[in-house]
Amino acid sequence: MKKYSNEHEWAQVEGDEAIIGLSVYAVEQLGDITFLELPEIGRDVSKDESVAFIESVKAASDIYSPLSGEVIAVNEALNDTPELLNEDATNTWVFKLKLCDANEANSLMDETAYLEYIATL
Amino acid sequence: MSELKRTSLYEKHKELGAKNIGFCGWDMPVQYEGILKEHKACREEAAIFDTSHMGEFFFEGNILFSGINEAVTVDLLTLPVGRCKYGFILNDKGGVIDDMIVYKADIDRLMFVVNASRIQEDFDAIKAQVHNGAFTNASDSTSKIDIQGPKSKEILEHLLHVRLDGLNYFSFTEADIMDTYGLISRTGYTGELGYELYLDNTAAPKVWDKLIKLGATPAGLGARDVLRLEMGYSLYGQELDENTTPLEAGLEYFVQYTSHFRGKEALEQQKQNGIPKKLIAFKTNSKRAPRHGFEIMQEGLNIGVVTSGTYSPSVASGIGLGYVETSKFNADKPIQISSERGSMPVELTTLPFYKK
């Protein structure tokens, strides 16, 4: 099950790991994505820390980690084909964390709450 | 914030599911299905743009004795009837109040097309030079649709039921556009074969619909900005403003010294003394884009600022324009652009970025 942050990242927790991606809403706001800088593997990140950035034809934006942990993998396919995110944001992960605290995900929104949140934006 | 103005095509954009933004006080479509798709449609087929937010002024009177020829850098006396020309309205310092296209419909009839954000300043500046003749602002009743791309001629010929073979670059003609009087020029802001249609607000929605039916793809301001930047065309408010002269912007070609115009002395003086800043064009070695406001660096020193930048689908890299201080800039040494996200090398290039 996906959980969402205020900054429009999703996290899918499995055990003490989580894959992180961007919400469909975030990708629609950015438009055609042209470039993605992925975080370094091995980097320790805190919740809400800027860890990567993304560029579209019209804008550039930071990507924030929705959870704390160590980056243990990145989706290398996005280096050459960042447009995968435009095609299917829900099923395209960006990076993978080894979590400090699996319970931290409880502070994130579930899909219903997130949809309510973006309706207010 | 005051209410955004809407063009005559506002409802059409809504029907098409456009994503709108506030642009110079107007509620304008930034994109419909996506900037890349719309960009491709323009380069390969035909795209249409709503540019009704732009301003149109009409002048009727004696060009030589009214003072109108002193208002712009185009020599309106030598401009042939049926032709239009790009140029500037300058302040006394030679700074650009606006860039514009002036159309000569007859020996005593002109139309000026100006940027939406500058309509009032432009009208006042021209009016101040004109001491007789009728000078009017028709911006609110005039719609403008640009059709651009290799198939634009074919589509427009179908719409008008006339051949456009005789309509050369920067020429125009009065025309019957779906039973309404309008004006069509062989001009545009994309570098493609294309036309700009001026027509009354009441006729614009049906012409828009018909152009789509004939195969044109609606495109928003997002694609328009990428297309113009690929050609290296300046955008007012970015490359041009009241503190920038056409010489600094590399646009002296569009200044006709044969006439006397406001700002001419300042330009002549700057020509003698040299320009303090100059516009440069550069590209990145990746898909990362320069952005407005990034610093331009050389040997660790800040030497200027990026005015426009985007990812260019036609060039397949980031492209940008910016101003550098002439005294600090060395064209033979490497430059970088930098922002809070770090620095990246860029390579100087010549315009247009997109060479066919």
Side-chain angles (χ1 to χ4, degrees), chain B residues 84-87 99-103 111-113 170 187 196:
Chain B
C84 46
K85 200 167 186 345
Y86 175 81
D99 59 341
M100 51 99 224
I101 295 180
V102 57
Y103 291 68
M111 177 173 78
F112 298 84
V113 179
F170 276 87
T187 51
E196 297 180 283

Side-chain angles (χ1 to χ4, degrees), chain B residues 50-299:
Chain B
D50 176 13
T51 53
S52 303
H53 57 311
M54 293 181 75
E56 293 85 10
F57 306 147
F58 289 95
F59 172 80
E60 210 168 333
N62 187 306
I63 290 173
L64 184 56
F65 298 115
S66 61
I68 190 85
N69 206 24
E70 288 166 35
V72 291
T73 64
V74 175
D75 189 345
L76 303 171
L77 284 171
T78 58
L79 180 67
V81 169
R83 302 275 299 174
C84 46
K85 200 167 186 345
Y86 175 81
F88 306 99
I89 305 164
L90 301 181
N91 60 29
D92 293 333
K93 299 181 300 176
V96 179
I97 295 173
D98 204 1
D99 59 341
M100 51 99 224
I101 295 180
V102 57
Y103 291 68
K104 192 162 171 181
D106 208 335
I107 51 163
D108 57 358
R109 274 201 301 137
L110 302 166
M111 177 173 78
F112 298 84
V113 179
V114 303
N115 285 298
S117 60
R118 303 297 289 171
I119 291 174
Q120 196 57 52
E121 289 85 351
D122 296 340
F123 189 80
D124 293 346
I126 296 174
K127 185 90 180 164
Q129 300 290 325
V130 175
H131 32 78
N132 62 58
F135 182 61
T136 51
N137 181 356
S139 304
D140 285 343
S141 59
T142 308
S143 287
K144 178 168 177 281
I145 299 172
D146 300 0
I147 177 163
Q148 304 275 303
K151 291 197 177 154
S152 59
K153 177 166 177 275
E154 187 185 314
I155 290 174
L156 203 50
E157 284 176 339
H158 271 112
L159 177 88
L160 301 170
H161 306 292
V162 294
R163 299 295 304 238
L164 293 168
D165 298 317
L167 196 61
N168 296 319
Y169 196 40
F170 276 87
S171 295
F172 67 100
T173 181
E174 294 171 297
D176 179 328
I177 308 173
M178 294 181 81
D179 303 322
T180 311
Y181 170 83
L183 203 145
I184 296 168
S185 59
R186 173 54 195 93
T187 51
Y189 199 41
T190 64
E192 294 300 326
L193 170 69
Y195 303 84
E196 297 180 283
L197 277 58
Y198 299 88
L199 66 176
D200 192 79
N201 286 347
T202 52
K206 67 176 176 188
V207 172
W208 177 264
D209 281 345
K210 183 77 180 177
L211 288 168
I212 293 173
K213 206 168 281 177
L214 291 169
T217 301
L221 294 181
R224 185 171 152 88
D225 192 53
V226 175
L227 291 156
R228 71 95 193 165
L229 190 53
E230 287 183 333
M231 297 310 295
Y233 297 155
S234 292
L235 174 62
Y236 197 86
Q238 297 192 201
E239 285 71 42
L240 299 173
D241 58 37
E242 292 225 30
N243 296 313
T244 304
T245 71
L247 275 59
E248 293 162 339
L251 297 170
E252 191 186 12
Y253 176 79
F254 300 101
V255 176
Q256 288 185 290
Y257 293 101
T258 49
S259 71
H260 185 81
F261 55 86
R262 184 182 176 199
K264 185 179 179 181
E265 289 80 11
L267 292 191
E268 284 170 338
Q269 205 168 19
Q270 194 178 53
K271 241 170 114 82
Q272 286 206 328
N273 299 344
I275 48 175
K277 64 176 179 180
K278 66 180 266 186
L279 192 74
I280 58 167
F282 42 86
K283 53 186 181 183
T284 64
N285 56 10
S286 72
K287 284 176 135 188
R288 287 184 66 186
R291 305 280 172 186
H292 178 83
F294 281 17
E295 293 182 338
I296 302 174
M297 310 291 291
Q298 189 163 53
E299 298 190 308

Side-chain angles (χ1 to χ4, degrees), chain A residues 28 32 35 53 55-56 62, chain B residues 19 35-36 289 291 341:
Chain A
E28 278 176 359
D32 294 312
F35 178 84
F53 77 92
E55 291 194 18
S56 68
D62 286 304
Chain B
K19 189 176 289 179
I35 293 175
L36 293 179
R291 305 280 172 186
R341 290 204 174 90

